[in-house]
Amino acid sequence: LFVDKVDPQSGTSLEIGSNGDTISVPSGATLDIASGATLDTTGATVTGISGNPITEADTFGLTSTQSISSGTDTVLTGFNRDNEATFSKIGTGLSESSGVFTFGATGIYWVAASFYMQINGDLTYASPKIAGTTNNSSYVNLVYNDQSIKQVVGNTYACNYLSAIFDCQDTSTHKVRLSIYGTQALNVLGGANDRHTYITVFRLGDT
Protein backbone atom coordinates (compact mmCIF):
# COMPACT_ATOMS: atom_id res chain seq x y z
CA LEU A 1 0.00 0.00 0.00
CA PHE A 2 1.60 3.22 -1.17
CA VAL A 3 -0.27 6.40 -0.17
CA ASP A 4 0.61 9.94 0.86
CA LYS A 5 -2.28 10.41 3.32
CA VAL A 6 -4.69 8.24 5.29
CA ASP A 7 -8.01 9.67 6.45
CA PRO A 8 -10.80 7.95 8.45
CA GLN A 9 -13.64 6.53 6.36
CA SER A 10 -16.11 8.32 8.63
CA GLY A 11 -15.86 10.62 11.62
CA THR A 12 -12.58 12.04 12.87
CA SER A 13 -10.89 9.04 14.55
CA LEU A 14 -8.36 6.76 12.89
CA GLU A 15 -7.06 3.54 14.47
CA ILE A 16 -3.94 1.77 13.21
CA GLY A 17 -3.47 -1.90 14.05
CA SER A 18 -5.19 -4.11 16.63
CA ASN A 19 -4.58 -5.11 20.22
CA GLY A 20 -1.18 -6.81 20.51
CA ASP A 21 0.17 -5.43 17.24
CA THR A 22 3.46 -3.54 17.02
CA ILE A 23 3.60 -0.48 14.78
CA SER A 24 7.20 0.11 13.69
CA VAL A 25 8.97 3.13 12.21
CA PRO A 26 12.14 1.87 10.50
CA SER A 27 15.61 3.22 11.11
CA GLY A 28 16.29 6.34 9.08
CA ALA A 29 12.60 7.36 8.90
CA THR A 30 11.26 10.46 10.65
CA LEU A 31 7.99 10.63 12.57
CA ASP A 32 7.15 14.32 12.33
CA ILE A 33 4.49 15.63 14.72
CA ALA A 34 3.42 19.06 13.51
CA SER A 35 3.48 22.14 15.73
CA GLY A 36 0.13 22.53 17.44
CA ALA A 37 -0.64 18.79 17.36
CA THR A 38 -1.24 16.80 20.55
CA LEU A 39 0.47 13.49 21.32
CA ASP A 40 -1.89 11.96 23.89
CA THR A 41 -0.22 9.25 25.99
CA THR A 42 -2.78 9.25 28.80
CA GLY A 43 -2.76 5.84 30.46
CA ALA A 44 0.02 4.57 28.19
CA THR A 45 3.47 3.32 29.10
CA VAL A 46 6.12 5.40 27.34
CA THR A 47 9.62 3.90 27.10
CA GLY A 48 12.89 4.51 25.31
CA ILE A 49 12.58 8.30 25.00
CA SER A 50 15.95 9.92 25.61
CA GLY A 51 16.99 13.55 25.90
CA ASN A 52 16.98 16.16 28.62
CA PRO A 53 13.67 18.02 29.15
CA ILE A 54 15.61 20.73 31.02
CA THR A 55 17.17 22.92 28.32
CA GLU A 56 18.45 25.75 30.55
CA ALA A 57 19.94 25.58 34.06
CA ASP A 58 22.54 27.77 35.73
CA THR A 59 23.89 29.07 39.05
CA PHE A 60 25.66 32.35 39.82
CA GLY A 61 27.17 33.30 43.19
CA LEU A 62 28.06 36.61 44.83
CA THR A 63 31.85 36.92 44.50
CA SER A 64 32.52 39.10 47.55
CA THR A 65 30.77 40.30 50.68
CA GLN A 66 28.55 43.33 50.09
CA SER A 67 27.86 45.91 52.80
CA ILE A 68 24.24 47.02 53.04
CA SER A 69 23.45 50.43 54.54
CA SER A 70 20.53 50.73 56.92
CA GLY A 71 17.21 51.86 55.49
CA THR A 72 18.10 51.31 51.82
CA ASP A 73 16.99 48.69 49.31
CA THR A 74 20.26 47.62 47.70
CA VAL A 75 20.71 45.60 44.52
CA LEU A 76 23.33 42.88 44.91
CA THR A 77 26.08 43.11 42.30
CA GLY A 78 29.22 41.24 41.37
CA PHE A 79 28.31 37.64 40.52
CA ASN A 80 30.03 34.89 38.58
CA ARG A 81 29.02 31.46 37.37
CA ASP A 82 29.58 28.55 39.74
CA ASN A 83 33.17 27.37 39.23
CA GLU A 84 32.99 24.25 41.39
CA ALA A 85 34.52 21.25 39.61
CA THR A 86 31.32 19.18 39.43
CA PHE A 87 29.12 22.02 38.15
CA SER A 88 28.03 22.38 34.54
CA LYS A 89 25.37 24.68 33.16
CA ILE A 90 22.76 23.48 30.70
CA GLY A 91 22.10 25.53 27.58
CA THR A 92 23.27 29.10 27.10
CA GLY A 93 22.78 29.94 30.76
CA LEU A 94 22.55 33.28 32.52
CA SER A 95 24.59 36.42 32.03
CA GLU A 96 24.91 39.16 34.64
CA SER A 97 25.69 42.87 34.47
CA SER A 98 25.42 45.29 37.42
CA GLY A 99 23.30 42.74 39.28
CA VAL A 100 20.81 42.23 36.44
CA PHE A 101 20.46 38.66 35.16
CA THR A 102 19.64 37.96 31.51
CA PHE A 103 18.25 34.56 30.53
CA GLY A 104 19.79 32.51 27.75
CA ALA A 105 16.42 31.63 26.21
CA THR A 106 12.77 32.52 26.59
CA GLY A 107 10.57 30.25 28.69
CA ILE A 108 9.00 29.64 32.07
CA TYR A 109 11.72 29.59 34.74
CA TRP A 110 11.98 28.51 38.34
CA VAL A 111 14.18 31.15 40.00
CA ALA A 112 15.66 30.50 43.45
CA ALA A 113 18.04 32.55 45.58
CA SER A 114 19.81 32.17 48.90
CA PHE A 115 20.90 35.20 50.95
CA TYR A 116 23.54 34.66 53.65
CA MET A 117 23.46 37.58 56.10
CA GLN A 118 25.81 38.65 58.89
CA ILE A 119 25.59 41.38 61.53
CA ASN A 120 27.46 42.23 64.71
CA GLY A 121 24.36 43.14 66.71
CA ASP A 122 20.61 42.75 66.50
CA LEU A 123 18.74 43.09 63.21
CA THR A 124 15.10 44.09 63.49
CA TYR A 125 14.56 42.69 60.02
CA ALA A 126 16.06 42.40 56.57
CA SER A 127 13.96 41.93 53.42
CA PRO A 128 15.72 39.87 50.74
CA LYS A 129 13.94 40.00 47.37
CA ILE A 130 13.84 38.49 43.90
CA ALA A 131 12.55 41.18 41.52
CA GLY A 132 11.67 40.97 37.85
CA THR A 133 11.14 43.31 34.94
CA THR A 134 9.26 42.96 31.66
CA ASN A 135 10.60 46.19 30.11
CA ASN A 136 14.27 46.15 31.19
CA SER A 137 13.55 49.15 33.40
CA SER A 138 10.91 48.99 36.12
CA TYR A 139 11.07 46.08 38.59
CA VAL A 140 8.42 44.45 40.75
CA ASN A 141 9.02 42.00 43.58
CA LEU A 142 8.40 38.42 42.51
CA VAL A 143 8.89 37.25 46.10
CA TYR A 144 10.37 38.62 49.32
CA ASN A 145 10.65 37.67 52.96
CA ASP A 146 11.56 39.25 56.29
CA GLN A 147 14.41 37.92 58.42
CA SER A 148 15.25 39.02 61.97
CA ILE A 149 18.52 38.30 63.78
CA LYS A 150 19.02 38.24 67.55
CA GLN A 151 22.71 38.56 68.39
CA VAL A 152 24.19 35.63 70.30
CA VAL A 153 27.76 36.89 70.64
CA GLY A 154 29.90 38.80 68.13
CA ASN A 155 28.99 38.23 64.50
CA THR A 156 25.64 36.46 64.10
CA TYR A 157 24.41 34.86 60.89
CA ALA A 158 21.17 33.93 59.14
CA CYS A 159 20.25 32.45 55.77
CA ASN A 160 17.08 33.20 53.84
CA TYR A 161 15.88 31.22 50.81
CA LEU A 162 13.38 32.42 48.19
CA SER A 163 11.93 31.01 44.98
CA ALA A 164 9.52 32.19 42.29
CA ILE A 165 8.22 31.30 38.83
CA PHE A 166 9.10 33.82 36.11
CA ASP A 167 7.82 33.94 32.52
CA CYS A 168 10.64 35.22 30.30
CA GLN A 169 8.86 36.17 27.08
CA ASP A 170 11.74 38.21 25.66
CA THR A 171 15.36 37.86 26.82
CA SER A 172 16.10 41.51 26.01
CA THR A 173 13.37 42.88 28.30
CA HIS A 174 12.43 40.16 30.84
CA LYS A 175 15.13 39.97 33.50
CA VAL A 176 15.61 39.43 37.24
CA ARG A 177 17.78 40.78 40.03
CA LEU A 178 18.38 40.26 43.76
CA SER A 179 18.12 43.01 46.36
CA ILE A 180 17.91 43.40 50.12
CA TYR A 181 16.67 46.00 52.60
CA GLY A 182 17.83 46.20 56.21
CA THR A 183 16.60 48.19 59.18
CA GLN A 184 20.21 48.13 60.40
CA ALA A 185 23.44 47.96 58.44
CA LEU A 186 24.45 44.38 57.64
CA ASN A 187 26.62 42.30 55.34
CA VAL A 188 25.52 39.89 52.64
CA LEU A 189 28.27 37.31 52.42
CA GLY A 190 29.93 36.27 49.18
CA GLY A 191 33.18 34.71 48.04
CA ALA A 192 35.03 33.93 44.83
CA ASN A 193 34.94 30.19 45.50
CA ASP A 194 32.03 29.95 47.94
CA ARG A 195 28.32 29.98 47.21
CA HIS A 196 27.15 31.81 50.34
CA THR A 197 24.71 33.98 48.39
CA TYR A 198 23.55 32.71 45.01
CA ILE A 199 20.85 32.50 42.35
CA THR A 200 19.83 29.31 40.54
CA VAL A 201 17.46 29.03 37.57
CA PHE A 202 15.83 26.11 35.75
CA ARG A 203 13.85 26.45 32.53
CA LEU A 204 10.64 24.47 33.08
CA GLY A 205 8.99 24.87 29.69
CA ASP A 206 7.95 27.19 26.88
CA THR A 207 6.52 30.62 27.54
Side-chain angles (χ1 to χ4, degrees), residues 78-153:
F79 289 80
N80 68 4
R81 178 170 286 118
D82 191 345
N83 56 10
E84 199 273 326
T86 62
F87 172 80
S88 180
K89 68 180 177 69
I90 297 174
T92 302
L94 294 170
S95 60
E96 181 265 344
S97 177
S98 300
V100 175
F101 291 91
T102 300
F103 296 94
T106 59
I108 307 293
Y109 283 83
W110 178 68
V111 181
S114 179
F115 298 75
Y116 193 23
M117 297 164 281
Q118 174 261 317
I119 188 171
N120 188 355
D122 290 340
L123 176 66
T124 305
Y125 69 89
S127 299
K129 305 167 184 177
I130 302 174
T133 179
T134 58
N135 60 10
N136 199 28
S137 177
S138 56
Y139 282 79
V140 296
N141 293 330
L142 305 178
V143 61
Y144 76 95
N145 208 340
D146 290 335
Q147 175 75 55
S148 298
I149 297 178
K150 178 64 178 176
Q151 185 180 30
V152 179
V153 60

Side-chain angles (χ1 to χ4, degrees), residues 49-68:
I49 295 179
S50 61
N52 189 353
I54 301 296
T55 58
E56 291 283 334
D58 207 355
T59 294
F60 271 58
L62 191 66
T63 58
S64 61
T65 295
Q66 188 166 341
S67 299
I68 308 300

Side-chain angles (χ1 to χ4, degrees), residues 17-19 21 40 45 47-48 64-65 70 78 80 94 99 107 118 125-126 131 133 147 154 162 164 176 182 188 197:
S18 300
N19 183 29
D21 290 347
D40 186 359
T45 300
T47 61
S64 61
T65 295
S70 63
N80 68 4
L94 294 170
Q118 174 261 317
Y125 69 89
T133 179
Q147 175 75 55
L162 302 173
V176 296
V188 177
T197 299

Side-chain angles (χ1 to χ4, degrees), residues 1-7 26:
L1 177 64
F2 295 92
V3 295
D4 293 321
K5 185 179 181 182
V6 179
D7 284 322

